[in-house]
Amino acid sequence: MNRMLRLLCAAACLLLLLAGCGKKEIEPPEFYQIGDDQAITLDTCLGAEHENGKLASITEPAEDASAEVYSYTYEELTTLNATLQEYVAKLKAEDQGFVEANSKFIIQEELQDLTAPEGTVILARPGIVEGKVFQVILTWTETGCTIEVSRPEGELKEPPPPEEPRQSQQSTSLPDMMTYVQTLNPSQLGLSGASMSEYRVVPTEGLQMLNGTPCRQFNVYHQDENGVNAFMGSYLVGSDNALYLLDLESDEAVPLEAASTPASPEAPAPSSSASPSSSEEPQTPAE
């Protein structure tokens, strides 16, 4: 009899032990929280009975971890993308105040596609502790979602202003380009003097192409004391306002820097057989 009782007790203990070995359901947190910073959880979008998914695991930071990071893994998300969209909308609501940002805490104007089968989106806001950012990072695949909550040092930054489109091509009309040449400082063409009004600028007909840029040719003359027009040089002016000295004999164009060494107007005209020394390689314009 005593033996039978012992066997029954052993069997009962075994049943209790087996029952206790069943997987214990994880209790979702009321909030994702670090210090005084907190955010609503994804569980608020999973239905009253968590019929749209469940919290599968929680990973907390080790005691000696340099960063306080909590990780929450969710599985069996029956409406994954719709749930993500609902949750992100809640985090962006006024009472939560999160914005989409990148890993450098720059606020993003182009929002992440939450309908993609997999991806990552960073939601962040200034932490209650000054100099920290409270962030919730969602990473999802077709099989589930992981939410990483942390509070790194940093601050949210506005995106830089968009760059103005570069005006690579200006007007190529003869009046506009004549006006531009006449407003140059003579030193920009390697000439002396205070104004291009001291020179006579004569355009040639038509356009020439140089490295894909339309250019106009201008010949510059200076009237000496005897009333003789001295030829000072032939120049190409690009639609991008680039300036070139044109060698009429070789038909090669040498780029001019903004501040060239002024030449004396009384000096003889530059020889068409030699271009000024330059580190730039001369280029041949195409008609």
Side-chain angles (χ1 to χ4, degrees):
M1 184 66 179
N2 290 337
R3 184 182 178 190
M4 181 63 70
L5 288 173
R6 286 197 297 271
L7 289 173
L8 288 173
C9 288
C13 290
L14 180 60
L15 288 173
L16 289 172
L17 181 61
L18 291 173
C21 290
K23 189 174 182 180
K24 186 178 179 181
E25 189 173 337
I26 297 176
E27 185 69 24
E30 185 178 0
F31 298 99
Y32 299 139
Q33 185 164 355
I34 298 178
D36 292 330
D37 284 300
Q38 62 181 26
I40 59 172
T41 68
L42 181 66
D43 303 86
T44 60
C45 303
L46 299 181
E49 301 296 328
H50 281 66
E51 60 269 19
N52 296 328
K54 67 177 183 178
L55 178 61
S57 67
I58 299 176
T59 303
E60 298 184 353
E63 292 184 3
D64 58 349
S66 58
E68 195 172 7
V69 180
Y70 293 82
S71 181
Y72 304 85
T73 301
Y74 291 83
E75 297 176 348
E76 300 177 18
L77 296 170
T78 55
T79 55
L80 173 64
N81 297 102
T83 300
L84 290 175
Q85 292 177 45
E86 179 186 355
Y87 181 56
V88 169
K90 284 185 176 182
L91 288 178
K92 289 182 177 180
E94 187 175 350
D95 63 329
Q96 293 293 306
F98 285 86
V99 294
E100 288 193 37
N102 64 14
S103 58
K104 297 181 179 179
F105 312 130
I106 298 175
I107 298 172
Q108 299 296 284
E109 295 179 341
E110 185 175 343
L111 306 183
Q112 184 71 28
D113 180 12
L114 299 174
T115 65
E118 58 183 38
T120 298
V121 61
I122 301 174
L123 283 302
R125 74 181 183 208
I128 292 178
V129 176
E130 187 176 356
K132 290 184 177 290
V133 174
F134 185 49
Q135 63 179 7
V136 177
I137 302 177
L138 287 75
T139 301
W140 71 94
T141 65
E142 293 179 346
T143 59
C145 172
T146 298
I147 294 180
E148 186 180 278
V149 181
S150 60
R151 192 171 61 173
E153 293 184 356
E155 61 179 12
L156 284 175
K157 307 181 211 42
E158 292 291 334
E163 291 186 4
E164 296 258 341
R166 188 175 177 182
Q167 297 293 331
S168 59
Q169 296 293 317
Q170 306 294 335
S171 172
T172 57
S173 72
L174 181 56
D176 288 346
M177 297 192 84
M178 275 290 290
T179 299
Y180 172 66
V181 172
Q182 290 167 343
T183 58
L184 292 172
N185 187 296
S187 65
Q188 292 178 260
L189 299 178
L191 304 172
S192 65
S195 169
M196 287 302 295
S197 61
E198 301 174 26
Y199 296 88
R200 181 179 171 219
V201 180
V202 180
T204 62
E205 292 185 6
L207 293 171
Q208 302 183 49
M209 297 301 296
L210 185 62
N211 294 333
T213 302
C215 301
R216 284 192 180 273
Q217 180 180 336
F218 294 87
N219 297 326
V220 178
Y221 300 85
H222 183 270
Q223 195 172 68
D224 62 18
E225 297 175 351
N226 301 318
V228 176
N229 285 322
F231 177 69
M232 303 304 299
S234 187
Y235 302 88
L236 289 181
V237 180
S239 60
D240 56 358
N241 292 343
L243 302 172
Y244 304 87
L245 177 62
L246 181 63
D247 187 318
L248 295 178
E249 183 173 322
S250 64
D251 204 30
E252 292 179 340
V254 178
L256 291 174
E257 296 182 359
S260 302
T261 303
S264 170
E266 288 75 26
S271 170
S272 60
S273 61
S275 299
S277 60
S278 170
S279 60
E280 301 275 1
E281 291 187 4
Q283 304 169 70
T284 302
E287 296 290 343

